[in-house]
Amino acid sequence: MASPSRPAFRYQPERRISWPEGAKCAVMICFDIDGETTALSENPAWKDRPTVMSQCLYGPQIGVPRFLDVLEAYDVPATFFIPTWIVEEHPDMAIRIHESRHEIGAHGHLHEKLNECTPAEEEEILEKSLAIFARVLEHRPIGHRAPWFETNPGTPELLHRHGFRYSSSLMGDDIPYQHTNGLVEIPLQWHLEDWEQFAFHPADPKWGVMPENPDKVFDLWWSEFEAMHDFGCCFVLTLHPWLSGRPSRVRLLERMLLGMKEKGDVWFATGSEIADFVASGAKEKKSGA
């Protein structure tokens, strides 16, 4: 008899992509290390508010080391999208990530909203970021995530022109696909992002007004994972270390990883691994660039 919490569903969706090694779904664990740029990109005057800035600083100083230890303990690769202001301000943190088996992707310089930039400004930000990655880490990222997930119509072509192989900013699907220029898109969704669950700022309601209980968030995320596992999707979870690096939320990620490992048939992969798999001929659908 089927469990009441896991009924025998009648609708069995057709899988639109065949994942490596017979996996039923892919899982991409992402960390957007916005740190202090979370505040500075919104209001430069907040640099003089020690409590606000210390809340954001918690991510690079405390959250990131914790998450690196968790990922090592569970043998799970991850993708870290880092604004290059953070790379310059916290080089030791960035170097530690780079020397691990995890991936580093581009995420603006000061977490700029690209939809508010002209094409020339957007390209200037990208080129500045690439120069900083090369200088500090001797690294050239091949993945890009737009801050706030906001892109422009010309963003895919700009990324392709600068040698990027994938983007993870759009939300129009739940499996990866290729733009017409070959750039791979790894879609995500607000549903699987911790900002809506945990962000809080006493002076700015845009940051949230009531942090959620991790048990409620686990139910939210786990229900989506189980369904995406059934549907053969790519589960992209986005965490911010200044939010999810707090102890109870670290345990939340551990609960997710434990459950996924026990479920089985899961391909844990970085963005570049997923992009290479799709570009090599995996079944995908096309989207306009």
Side-chain angles (χ1 to χ4, degrees):
M1 179 180 296
S3 167
S5 62
R6 187 63 174 162
F9 296 112
R10 294 182 180 181
Y11 168 53
Q12 298 300 322
E14 179 184 357
R15 296 176 180 273
R16 296 183 294 139
I17 189 168
S18 297
W19 296 112
E21 301 175 4
K24 291 183 178 179
C25 76
V27 169
M28 179 180 173
I29 304 295
C30 307
F31 298 93
D32 290 3
I33 311 179
D34 302 340
E36 303 97 305
T37 68
T38 308
L40 296 176
S41 63
E42 292 296 290
N43 188 343
W46 284 349
K47 67 180 175 57
D48 297 321
R49 297 184 64 167
T51 299
V52 172
M53 295 306 295
S54 67
Q55 181 183 12
C56 298
L57 187 61
Y58 184 92
Q61 289 189 336
I62 306 299
V64 169
R66 279 182 179 157
F67 281 129
L68 287 172
D69 290 343
V70 168
L71 294 168
E72 182 178 5
Y74 289 89
D75 192 28
V76 169
T79 304
F80 291 77
F81 295 101
I82 315 178
T84 43
W85 189 96
I86 296 293
V87 171
E88 290 187 307
E89 192 70 14
H90 303 280
D92 291 344
M93 177 211 70
I95 289 170
R96 181 180 172 188
I97 295 170
H98 184 52
E99 290 179 345
S100 72
R101 69 190 182 110
H102 307 297
E103 179 182 5
I104 291 178
H107 195 46
H109 176 67
L110 195 68
H111 205 255
E112 301 88 350
K113 290 186 174 75
L114 299 183
N115 60 305
E116 298 178 357
C117 297
T118 66
E121 290 170 338
E122 182 178 1
E123 185 161 26
E124 181 181 359
I125 291 167
L126 188 64
E127 291 176 342
K128 180 177 184 177
S129 295
L130 290 173
I132 293 170
F133 278 123
R135 173 170 53 82
V136 178
L137 300 179
E138 298 182 351
H139 169 67
R140 186 177 182 89
I142 62 169
H144 180 272
R145 170 166 290 168
W148 299 100
F149 307 148
E150 291 284 0
T151 66
N152 293 309
T155 300
E157 186 53 43
L158 174 66
L159 295 176
H160 182 260
R161 189 165 70 248
H162 282 271
F164 284 84
R165 297 213 298 270
Y166 78 90
S167 166
S168 183
S169 302
L170 301 182
M171 304 187 183
D173 208 330
D174 44 36
I175 63 170
Y177 58 87
Q178 286 181 280
H179 294 268
T180 54
N181 62 7
L183 183 78
V184 173
E185 188 70 41
I186 305 176
L188 40 71
Q189 53 173 306
W190 290 113
H191 188 79
L192 297 176
E193 213 249 10
D194 62 353
W195 179 282
E196 292 68 34
Q197 311 304 325
F198 299 131
F200 175 79
H201 190 313
D204 190 341
K206 295 198 304 294
W207 282 35
V209 295
M210 184 62 69
E212 293 284 358
N213 184 324
D215 286 340
K216 176 261 187 184
V217 180
F218 176 80
D219 288 343
L220 182 76
W221 290 350
W222 184 254
S223 295
E224 186 70 359
F225 167 73
E226 281 202 310
M228 294 183 84
H229 187 273
D230 288 345
F231 281 58
C233 303
C234 183
F235 180 91
V236 181
L237 182 65
T238 299
L239 305 176
H240 297 81
W242 72 274
L243 292 171
S244 289
R246 299 288 176 177
S248 64
R249 301 164 191 175
V250 173
R251 292 300 193 209
L252 167 62
L253 176 61
E254 284 197 83
R255 289 177 67 188
M256 293 293 298
L257 296 179
L258 277 168
M260 291 172 179
K261 293 269 186 174
E262 290 174 358
K263 185 104 174 156
D265 299 324
V266 173
W267 179 42
F268 292 95
T270 63
S272 61
E273 289 171 331
I274 293 171
D276 288 347
F277 174 70
V278 171
S280 69
K283 181 182 179 183
E284 79 270 8
K285 67 181 201 175
K286 301 286 185 177
S287 172

